[in-house]
Amino acid sequence: MEKFSIGNDEKERCLLMAIDTGTGDVDYSIDELSRLTDTAGGKTVTKVIQKREKPDDALYFGAGKIFEVARFCKDYSIDLIICDDELTPSQQRNIENITDVRTIDRTQLILDIFAKNARTNEGKLQVELAQLKYELPRLSGKGKEMSRLGGGIGTRGPGETQLETDKRKIRSSIKSIEQKTENIKKQRKLVHDRRRKNGATVVAIVGYTNAGKSTLLNTLTKAGVLSEDKLFATLDPTARSLKLPDGRSVILIDTVGFISKLPTELVNAFRSTLEEVTYADLILNICDASDRRVNEQIDVTKKLIADLGAEKTPMITVFNKTDLAPGLRFFGYEGKTVRISAKTGKNIDVLLKTICSCLEQNRREVTVLFPYSEGNLASRCRKEGAILKEEYTEDGLKLRAILPASFLDYIKDYILPDE
């Protein structure tokens, strides 16, 4: 066996498997899988890596390596096998038949963590939806396994009950949950519209999981949000008010953490929550400066932000945990960057001043005069910004408003000079 360390405790004993195709950092990926296992309540007994061009279609590993894994599982009382890549139903079934050990993949592990940590009704619905969508195509061929009840990693939430249902019932459940989440999405939009109408400025905290988003929120606002050194310690978005040095108040929102190989089912199910980012006036991309893969973490976050359609929103890249990486050099990064330690409070004042600076560039208070024939532009002002004053004059509708810089370019012919 390769790359293993044996430990003894009462946690579920897990063997981790990964394929090294030579195209990525497999050591980092399987170490991250081990941290996910710890978050789920398991204990990594050993990590097994095999070099292959691609996973075996039937067994993930080659046959010889799988039988070696089976012997190790028997000798060291392994309770669970976890694969770093998504398994097909046949791969999962074949591995279990040979090793006689329950087997899950990275996606099931992350879904289990989400099921464990979801607190709000919306969060629980989103996790249940993701689990059902993941399980649906895997029902075929499971036979008597569909009635299997169990405990442990990968079996929390609807997985315990929905495996006993047929596809028709699962599709019905999916449809019902999607309707509920759509209603929640509409309610969320009403909240955003009300914030926009009241001239509220929203700053969204995003970033790789465990980069310190919740710690930063607590440092800035004393929010009392759970902050642990575990992946996905918090799932549900938290909104708090923050007063900036220039006297303005903004709404600071902590979002769910990102991770490489984030299951598509979760991205889709949590889209309404993740779309908090699309309503933001400014994004803080929090990354762990002490992590050797910090550049890759930044790329993962930027890609997901782009997938959500928020790539044009102004963003500050915040290098957190610099107290753990004092010798790290920061260069070559686009846009605004700030180095902080949310835990110690280092450079928090610099971050706040940078936020003020970016928001000044993003929104401006102006007076506009629209001819009555351009009522649609006045309506857009109400939708896009905050109306401070309205006055009906002989020449048209005169508004004093706080508007996004992008919209100001569109209505520049109607902006009046400041008196």
Side-chain angles (χ1 to χ4, degrees):
M1 303 300 291
E2 306 165 33
K3 303 180 185 296
F4 70 87
S5 59
I6 299 173
N8 295 299
D9 57 30
E10 297 180 356
K11 294 182 178 180
E12 204 164 358
R13 297 168 60 80
C14 304
L15 179 148
L16 312 187
M17 295 169 49
I19 295 291
D20 182 5
T21 62
T23 58
D25 191 338
V26 67
D27 290 322
Y28 182 88
S29 186
I30 202 168
D31 285 346
E32 187 173 75
L33 187 68
S34 180
R35 291 175 65 201
L36 288 166
T37 300
D38 177 67
T39 300
K43 168 71 175 179
T44 299
V45 175
T46 186
K47 305 170 188 174
V48 189
I49 298 174
Q50 184 177 42
K51 290 187 176 182
R52 297 179 59 92
E53 290 186 1
K54 66 182 185 67
D56 181 79
D57 291 338
L59 296 171
Y60 184 66
F61 275 1
K65 180 63 74 174
I66 282 294
F67 281 103
E68 186 180 341
V69 166
R71 287 193 295 272
F72 187 93
C73 289
K74 183 177 180 181
D75 292 342
Y76 291 96
S77 303
I78 298 299
D79 302 306
L80 179 68
I81 294 173
I82 307 175
C83 291
D84 195 34
D85 300 292
E86 189 167 309
L87 297 173
T88 65
S90 60
Q91 285 174 327
Q92 186 174 5
R93 186 168 57 252
N94 292 338
I95 293 172
E96 289 183 339
N97 288 339
I98 292 174
T99 64
D100 197 29
V101 175
R102 189 166 62 88
T103 302
I104 65 173
D105 57 26
R106 185 185 182 98
T107 297
Q108 285 174 285
L109 180 61
I110 295 175
L111 286 171
D112 182 84
I113 294 169
F114 273 51
K116 177 183 177 183
N117 291 347
R119 295 289 180 267
T120 65
N121 182 50
E122 179 183 9
K124 292 175 181 178
L125 283 173
Q126 289 170 327
V127 172
E128 184 176 357
L129 179 62
Q131 288 180 312
L132 291 175
K133 286 188 173 181
Y134 177 84
E135 192 63 38
L136 182 59
R138 288 167 170 74
L139 289 180
S140 299
K142 284 199 171 183
K144 64 181 181 180
E145 295 179 35
M146 289 177 63
S147 62
R148 180 181 64 189
L149 293 176
I153 297 171
T155 63
R156 294 184 182 93
E160 296 176 351
T161 57
Q162 294 298 335
L163 285 177
E164 298 179 348
T165 68
D166 58 22
K167 288 185 177 182
R168 180 183 59 79
K169 289 183 179 179
I170 289 183
R171 289 194 183 100
S172 177
S173 296
I174 289 174
K175 186 176 180 180
S176 174
I177 295 173
E178 285 179 334
Q179 182 59 53
K180 291 177 182 177
T181 55
E182 185 62 29
N183 292 336
I184 292 174
K185 184 177 179 180
K186 291 177 181 178
Q187 294 170 9
R188 189 187 298 277
K189 186 177 184 306
L190 289 175
V191 172
H192 288 299
D193 289 343
R194 186 163 60 249
R195 286 176 182 167
R196 187 67 67 189
K197 183 178 180 181
N198 294 333
T201 300
V202 177
V203 178
I205 302 177
V206 304
Y208 214 77
T209 183
N210 204 41
K213 299 184 303 301
S214 296
T215 302
L216 178 60
L217 183 70
N218 287 335
T219 299
L220 293 175
T221 68
K222 313 301 181 187
V225 176
L226 175 66
S227 178
E228 290 185 310
D229 186 22
K230 288 186 176 182
L231 304 183
F232 301 116
T234 53
L235 290 179
D236 303 306
T238 304
R240 293 290 186 273
S241 178
L242 170 66
K243 192 167 186 177
L244 297 174
D246 62 4
R248 279 184 299 174
S249 290
V250 300
I251 296 175
L252 200 61
I253 296 180
D254 179 23
T255 61
V256 64
F258 299 146
I259 196 170
S260 60
K261 302 181 183 178
L262 188 66
T264 302
E265 290 84 1
L266 275 178
V267 174
N268 292 336
F270 273 76
R271 181 164 290 274
S272 63
T273 300
L274 294 172
E275 281 177 352
E276 290 281 2
V277 177
T278 66
Y279 293 104
D281 299 282
L282 178 67
I283 295 173
L284 303 183
N285 180 5
I286 315 300
C287 51
D288 183 352
S290 67
D291 196 298
R292 63 186 175 87
R293 291 285 298 272
V294 62
N295 291 333
E296 287 81 353
Q297 292 184 3
I298 292 173
D299 291 340
V300 167
T301 302
K302 285 185 174 180
K303 183 181 183 302
L304 284 167
I305 289 173
D307 290 343
L308 292 167
E311 68 275 14
K312 292 184 179 180
T313 302
M315 181 167 65
I316 302 173
T317 301
V318 182
F319 292 94
N320 189 29
K321 304 186 184 181
T322 53
D323 53 313
L324 302 179
L328 186 65
R329 297 177 63 192
F330 298 86
F331 58 89
Y333 295 99
E334 298 178 0
K336 296 275 188 180
T337 61
V338 180
R339 289 169 271 179
I340 70 164
S341 170
K343 185 176 181 180
T344 67
K346 179 182 177 181
N347 284 345
I348 291 297
D349 58 334
V350 177
L351 173 60
L352 291 172
K353 290 176 182 177
T354 306
I355 292 174
C356 290
S357 174
C358 288
L359 290 176
E360 283 295 335
Q361 299 171 18
N362 190 39
R363 296 173 73 81
R364 207 174 92 210
E365 186 175 330
V366 296
T367 301
V368 293
L369 179 63
F370 294 124
Y372 289 116
S373 59
E374 297 290 350
N376 60 317
L377 292 179
S379 297
R380 284 196 59 185
C381 280
R382 295 186 181 93
K383 182 178 180 181
E384 302 272 351
I387 307 300
L388 304 178
K389 184 179 179 181
E390 286 191 34
E391 184 181 352
Y392 291 88
T393 71
E394 293 182 359
D395 299 320
L397 178 59
K398 188 176 181 181
L399 300 176
R400 185 69 178 173
I402 300 175
L403 298 168
S406 57
F407 186 58
L408 291 178
D409 289 337
Y410 185 71
I411 61 170
K412 59 184 178 181
D413 293 338
Y414 303 101
I415 297 176
L416 299 179
D418 288 331
E419 299 176 354

